[in-house]
Amino acid sequence: MSPDRTTPVPSGRTADDVTTYVGARVITGDGHTVLENAILTVRDGRIAHIAPAREAGESETGAPEGAGTVVPVHGKTIMPALVNPHGHLGYMRGTVSDPRHYSRDNVVDHLRRSLYFGVSTFQSLGTDLRDIEIGLRDDQRAGRLDDPDLATLLTAGAGIVAAPTADAGSGAPFFAVDAVHPATGPEDARAHVAALAARHVDAVKFWIDDRGGTAAKLSPRTAAAIVDEAHRHGLKAAAHIYTADDARTALDAGADILAHMPRDPEPDDELIRRLLDRDVAVFTSMSVQGPATTDWLDEPILHEVLPEKTIAAFRARLDEREHEPLFDTSRTYARLQRTVATLHAAGVRLVFSPDTGVFAQLPGMAEHRELQALVEVGIPALQAIEFATRRSAHLLGLDDRGLLEPGRRADLVILDADPRDDIRNTRRISSLVIAGRTVDRDRLRDRITEATA
C-alpha cells in the first residue's frame, strides 16, 4: 500500500488562513443531513466549523467572530467534491478511446477536466500503460508536480487478464490490450501482483469476464492467487465481472470489490447473501451501459470545455444507435436497473462508479451522468451523492475527504441550485474549493480548451 495517499495542501497557506462561507444550504455527504442557511469555516485547508447560522453564534453580519474572509453564498448549495474510484485515464480524445492517445499529457488533461467538473479524486483502475500513471501519481504526492488544478490521482497500475490461447483472445479492455498483464497461471499472476505492490499501487484490478465467450477466461485458481497476493501486501482486489457466475468466482477468490454488477442473470438470494456477509463493495457502473441519449450534450458546462465539432460528433454517434447503449443492449440495461434497486434494498454496499474514459464516458461529465442514472433508478439524491463522496472516499482509504465535517479537507462544490430538486443541478457549478483553495475555473477552462485546440 502506498505510504501516503494524500496530497499536500496547496502552498501559500498558513495556520491563520481562515475563510467563512455564509448563507448556503450544505449537503454534508452523509446521505441525509442538509444544513440550511449554514456557516462553514475553513482554516488551513480544512473544515474548522460547520453549523446552521442560528447555532454558530453569528454576529450582526451573519458571520461568527474570527470568521476571517467572509464569502456570502446565499441561495447556493454546497456539497462535497466527487470521488471517482473507477475510471480509465489517458485513452479518450475527442469521441474515441484508443491506445494511440495514451500519454502523460493526456492523463494530466483528464485530471484537469475532472477537477473542473468538481471531481477531487480519481482512481484509474488497471490500465496504466508503461507505469505513466504511477510516475505521475508519485510526482503529485511528493509535490514535484507543480500543478494544483488536478484531481488527486490513484492508480491500480497494470491489471491482470488471462493470457490468450489458441482458441480465445485477450480479455483485456479493447482500448488497453497492451497495458494489462496476461497471466499464464497462478504463480505468474502472484509475481505480477508482487511487482505492483513494490510500486505502491493503490489497488489491484483483474478481469474475469470472457467477453461473451470470445476471450480467455481467468481461472478460479488464478483469481484466488491474485487476491491472496494482494491481501498479503495490504491491497484491495477489484474484479471485473459480467455474469453472476463471474461474481461467484470473484467472491470465492475473496475479492473486495466487484467492478461491475452481475448483469446476466440477475443476482439470486444466495449471491446477495454472500455480498452482504462479506460486505463486498459493488460498483454501480450504470451510465456506461445506459441508453444512447443526447440531452446531456446540451449541458452548458460541457460546451465550456469541448469544441462544438466534438459535441456534434458525439451527437451523431449516439443518434446512430437510436437509444440503444453504445455498450450492450437496452434489455441488459433494464436488468441492470432492476439489479441496482434490488441490491440497494437489500443493503448491499453499492459504490459510485462512472467507468470514466470509455465509450461516451467523458472525464468529468461521466461522474454527473452516473449520479443521474442512480437517481433515475429510485435512489434518493442525497444517497446517490453519498455513494459518490463519503462512500467512495472511504473505499479508497481517504478519510480526509468525501464528507463535510470538522477536520476533513475542505473540498467544496458550490452549486447554483439544489440537486435534491434535480440531480442534474450538480452540473451547475458556481465555484469550486479544493483543500481550502478557491480554484480559478476561468483559468482552468482556458488551459483545458488550449489543450483541446
Side-chain angles (χ1 to χ4, degrees):
M1 182 179 294
S2 176
D4 182 8
R5 295 184 175 198
T6 63
T7 52
V9 172
S11 60
R13 292 200 162 275
T14 71
D16 296 326
D17 284 335
V18 181
T19 302
T20 298
Y21 300 86
V22 176
R25 171 187 307 106
V26 174
I27 294 171
T28 66
D30 67 359
H32 57 86
T33 302
V34 180
L35 307 176
E36 298 290 346
N37 188 26
I39 292 193
L40 190 158
T41 300
V42 176
R43 182 188 298 274
D44 195 25
R46 294 186 179 272
I47 297 171
H49 182 81
I50 180 171
R54 65 181 181 275
E55 299 176 12
E58 70 272 17
S59 67
E60 292 181 1
T61 64
E65 297 299 327
T69 301
V70 176
V71 179
V73 282
H74 298 87
K76 298 191 183 296
T77 299
I78 299 177
M79 62 174 275
L82 302 176
V83 175
N84 182 354
H86 181 200
H88 305 281
L89 291 173
Y91 291 91
M92 179 174 277
R93 179 166 292 177
T95 63
V96 177
S97 296
D98 190 284
R100 292 173 296 179
H101 298 157
Y102 192 86
S103 67
R104 180 179 169 113
D105 284 347
N106 207 31
V107 172
V108 167
D109 177 67
H110 288 179
L111 293 173
R112 196 171 284 141
R113 290 172 187 273
S114 297
L115 191 75
Y116 187 82
F117 281 79
V119 180
S120 76
T121 309
F122 191 114
Q123 178 169 261
S124 194
L125 204 55
T127 49
D128 181 5
L129 183 61
R130 300 185 298 273
D131 288 347
I132 283 176
E133 291 170 8
I134 290 175
L136 181 60
R137 179 210 61 182
D138 290 348
D139 287 346
Q140 188 180 56
R141 289 184 185 170
R144 293 188 295 266
L145 185 60
D146 186 22
D147 191 339
D149 291 338
L150 304 176
T152 300
L153 173 62
L154 285 75
T155 179
I160 306 163
V161 298
T165 67
D167 301 320
S170 172
F174 71 93
F175 57 91
V177 173
D178 293 333
V180 299
H181 177 76
T184 57
E187 293 311 310
D188 179 44
R190 278 188 184 277
H192 182 71
V193 173
L196 290 173
R199 297 181 182 92
H200 303 297
V201 295
D202 299 291
V204 172
K205 169 76 175 291
F206 61 102
W207 281 259
I208 295 175
D209 179 21
D210 67 359
R211 310 292 178 179
T214 65
K217 195 175 189 70
L218 200 72
S219 73
R221 289 184 61 241
T222 301
I226 289 167
V227 176
D228 182 66
E229 190 68 19
H231 289 173
R232 197 170 74 82
H233 293 280
L235 294 165
K236 287 185 172 70
H240 174 105
I241 59 100
Y242 188 93
T243 67
D245 283 344
D246 291 344
R248 292 185 180 91
T249 298
L251 291 174
D252 289 344
D256 307 282
I257 301 163
L258 299 186
H260 290 269
M261 286 178 288
R263 289 159 280 182
D264 181 26
E266 295 175 45
D268 58 19
D269 290 344
E270 181 268 343
L271 181 54
I272 292 172
R273 179 188 57 75
R274 293 186 66 186
L275 292 170
L276 289 168
D277 286 349
R278 288 197 38 237
D279 193 27
V280 172
V282 179
F283 282 167
T284 55
S285 302
M286 295 183 68
S287 54
V288 70
Q289 288 189 233
T293 57
T294 58
D295 57 318
W296 58 277
L297 293 172
D298 297 322
E299 290 287 349
I301 192 171
L302 198 62
H303 289 255
E304 292 169 9
V305 295
L306 272 190
E308 293 302 318
K309 64 180 182 180
T310 300
I311 293 174
F314 259 119
R315 194 182 304 278
R317 181 182 176 199
L318 293 167
D319 283 343
E320 286 178 357
R321 293 291 295 172
E322 297 180 341
H323 287 273
E324 278 295 297
L326 291 177
F327 172 63
D328 226 313
T329 66
S330 56
R331 180 176 294 179
T332 301
Y333 187 66
R335 188 187 306 130
L336 186 61
Q337 289 181 305
R338 292 193 297 270
T339 295
V340 172
T342 298
L343 296 184
H344 181 56
V348 171
R349 182 156 61 117
L350 298 178
V351 180
F352 177 74
S353 167
D355 209 355
T356 305
V358 298
F359 298 108
Q361 299 301 91
L362 293 169
M365 192 66 194
E367 287 77 0
H368 295 275
R369 294 182 65 212
E370 186 70 13
L371 283 172
Q372 182 178 348
L374 291 170
V375 170
E376 286 176 347
V377 83
I379 295 173
L382 292 181
Q383 292 182 27
I385 289 169
E386 190 260 339
F387 286 11
T389 55
R390 179 174 69 172
R391 197 175 291 201
S392 48
H394 179 71
L395 180 71
L396 297 180
L398 296 172
D399 290 333
D400 65 335
R401 67 198 72 184
L403 186 66
L404 302 185
E405 68 176 11
R408 301 258 184 166
R409 229 173 67 148
D411 291 349
L412 319 175
V413 182
I414 303 176
L415 305 171
D416 285 326
D418 189 343
R420 292 178 300 172
D421 297 333
D422 185 338
I423 193 62
R424 291 173 296 182
N425 286 337
T426 60
R427 307 164 193 183
R428 297 179 59 185
I429 298 173
S430 173
S431 57
L432 180 64
V433 177
I434 297 295
R437 181 186 65 88
T438 299
V439 175
D440 185 342
R441 292 182 79 238
D442 290 338
R443 182 175 71 93
L444 181 54
R445 182 177 63 247
D446 289 344
R447 297 183 72 186
I448 291 169
T449 55
E450 285 170 8
T452 306

